[in-house]
Amino acid sequence: MSIKPLKIGSLTLKNNIVLAPMAGITNSPYRQICVQSGVALVYSEMVSSNGLIRDGKRTQELLTRSSTERPFGVQLFGDDPEVLGQATEIASELGELIDLNMGCPVKKVIRSGAGSALLCDPAKVARIVATMRRATTLPFTVKIRSGWNLKQINFLEIAHICELEGADAVILHPRTRCQGFGGHSNWDHLAMLKQHIGIPVIGSGDIYTAQDGLDMLNRTGCDGIMIGRGGYGNPWLIDNILRLQQGQPEQHPTPQQRLATALNHIKLYHHHFGSRKTVLDMRKHLCWYSRGMTGASEFRADVNQTQDLESLLGCVTSFFNRQGDK
Ligand SMILES: Cc1cc2nc3c(=O)[nH]c(=O)nc-3n(C[C@H](O)[C@H](O)[C@H](O)COP(=O)(O)O)c2cc1C
């Protein structure tokens, strides 16, 4: 058994596992941890096309990356074809791939006509995809949902437009906008999409175990899979999906391996963001790293009280060391 590398336009990835763009999560330190676990492509958090063309500081911060985060996909959101075109030109200097967000369900984004609101306007989708296509020679992906709601499932139509207008791959998160993140993603939609378009299909949704990853590939025939929430505190998921694809057994991390990764994550965070943000943001990641371990609920209470880097490090180290190296 072997892994089929994913090809997106001119880019041949080393395998078929991609890190999902997740606002507030997939910043540079998180992406570096996932690269170390074997992911073949990382995406930025979603970036406002308006912000990018206005050179906003926050927007630029979202796109700083280390040399190991490569290939790096820049995900843009917006609703104006011209603005998205200009943003695509700028983003093409900052990454190796461009993506258009047509899945975000957040009200503020929807109200501006962006994210999954675009699914309701196929003619505009055509204009946007064509404009972005003209603006870059980089590989170009579009990330969509199944439709606005269960009565308006139109992913086949939208994906077809994306293909016609020159997108190199479509990423489908098979839930509707109105479903948000609730219930289950409908993997049948991935299988249908794979039959419907000629460009690669990447599946996103509910991969929590390595077997889930393998199942999505096998059941839907999709060309690549995206790791989202299942990777929280569990970057080993990526390596384990690669192992299963090669007929090898999974390898679960020991407490000491978990500790080493958590400490590395803290170090990368500190280097990128400084102490204050590290203490605040790493609390949630550390709670995720501790899931399923003895005393995890007490640890969560303790770690959420820490106010400085030193006590955060002390709290983490003693928790994982108490687990023993079983
Ligand atoms: C906290 C969070 C932030 C997200 N931010 C983005 C985003 O910026 N752009 C995007 O296309 N999708 C975003 N998503 C959707 C994910 O990329 C993914 O498609 C979705 O979570 C389904 O995959 P999962 O079940 O593996 O998490 C986000 C999801 C979560 C949970």
Side-chain angles (χ1 to χ4, degrees):
M1 277 190 270
S2 64
I3 298 163
K4 218 169 131 204
L6 173 59
K7 205 168 179 314
I8 306 176
S10 56
L11 196 62
T12 301
L13 301 178
K14 66 177 180 179
N15 60 53
N16 51 7
I17 308 183
V18 173
L19 178 65
M22 289 186 287
I25 306 285
T26 55
N27 51 29
S28 176
Y30 191 92
R31 295 190 300 256
Q32 289 178 66
I33 293 288
C34 292
V35 165
Q36 286 167 15
S37 295
V39 87
L41 166 67
V42 293
Y43 279 94
S44 68
E45 302 170 73
M46 63 179 191
V47 167
S48 156
S49 50
N50 274 307
L52 194 58
I53 69 168
R54 295 205 187 100
D55 206 18
K57 189 168 171 281
R58 161 101 180 115
T59 313
Q60 288 191 2
E61 266 171 28
L62 288 173
L63 294 177
T64 51
R65 58 153 166 178
S66 71
S67 56
T68 61
E69 295 161 58
R70 184 174 273 270
F72 177 53
V74 178
Q75 188 189 60
L76 299 172
F77 73 94
D79 78 316
D80 183 309
E82 295 317 315
V83 173
L84 278 160
Q86 285 176 44
T88 299
E89 279 177 30
I90 298 168
S92 297
E93 303 293 315
L94 304 170
E96 284 72 49
L97 179 149
I98 305 295
D99 180 79
L100 169 64
N101 178 321
M102 280 209 278
C104 181
V106 172
K107 281 208 181 99
K108 199 175 151 202
V109 173
I110 298 292
R111 271 199 296 267
S112 74
S116 53
L118 289 173
L119 298 173
C120 303
D121 192 345
K124 192 184 238 186
V125 170
R127 287 200 301 280
I128 289 176
V129 174
T131 311
M132 290 176 75
R133 176 68 290 171
R134 278 197 302 277
T136 188
T137 55
L138 292 183
F140 173 35
T141 60
V142 183
K143 186 161 181 283
I144 66 175
R145 282 185 176 239
S146 294
W148 180 257
N149 59 27
L150 291 172
K151 289 192 181 139
Q152 297 174 68
I153 299 281
N154 64 348
F155 63 97
L156 294 179
E157 179 194 6
I158 296 287
H160 185 58
I161 292 170
C162 295
E163 179 174 27
L164 279 180
E165 300 299 344
D168 293 308
V170 172
I171 303 158
L172 174 61
H173 172 201
R175 283 187 175 89
T176 65
R177 183 270 164 184
C178 292
Q179 282 174 310
F181 294 94
H184 290 287
S185 56
N186 185 345
W187 289 6
D188 291 345
H189 289 175
L190 290 169
M192 287 162 70
L193 182 58
K194 182 62 196 158
Q195 296 300 316
H196 190 73
I197 57 173
I199 52 176
V201 171
I202 300 171
S204 169
D206 302 325
I207 298 177
Y208 288 100
T209 66
Q211 190 59 48
D212 291 339
L214 200 65
D215 288 348
M216 184 188 273
L217 285 165
N218 291 340
R219 279 199 224 150
T220 70
C222 65
D223 303 276
I225 55 175
M226 218 172 215
I227 302 303
R229 291 164 295 172
Y232 288 179
N234 185 18
W236 302 278
L237 174 63
I238 298 157
D239 179 54
N240 278 327
I241 301 173
L242 293 171
R243 284 174 172 279
L244 288 193
Q245 286 190 77
Q246 295 170 99
Q248 295 166 6
E250 290 183 49
Q251 259 185 12
H252 295 288
T254 62
Q256 287 309 309
Q257 286 167 332
R258 279 177 188 272
L259 174 61
T261 301
L263 291 177
N264 187 25
H265 198 160
I266 294 172
K267 190 175 98 188
L268 293 168
Y269 226 97
H270 186 235
H271 180 73
H272 196 82
F273 291 116
S275 313
R276 174 102 192 110
K277 193 167 160 59
T278 298
V279 173
L280 293 178
D281 289 3
M282 278 305 296
R283 290 173 181 167
K284 66 174 180 280
H285 290 283
L286 295 169
C287 292
W288 289 330
Y289 280 117
S290 74
R291 264 190 313 215
M293 306 188 82
T294 311
S297 58
E298 292 84 354
F299 169 70
R300 281 199 294 276
D302 290 348
V303 87
N304 283 320
Q305 297 292 319
T306 55
Q307 299 296 334
D308 59 75
L309 194 58
E310 205 179 321
S311 40
L312 185 87
L313 288 167
C315 184
V316 175
T317 309
S318 71
F319 171 73
F320 283 97
N321 280 340
R322 275 202 305 277
Q323 303 290 319
D325 205 353
K326 288 178 235 155

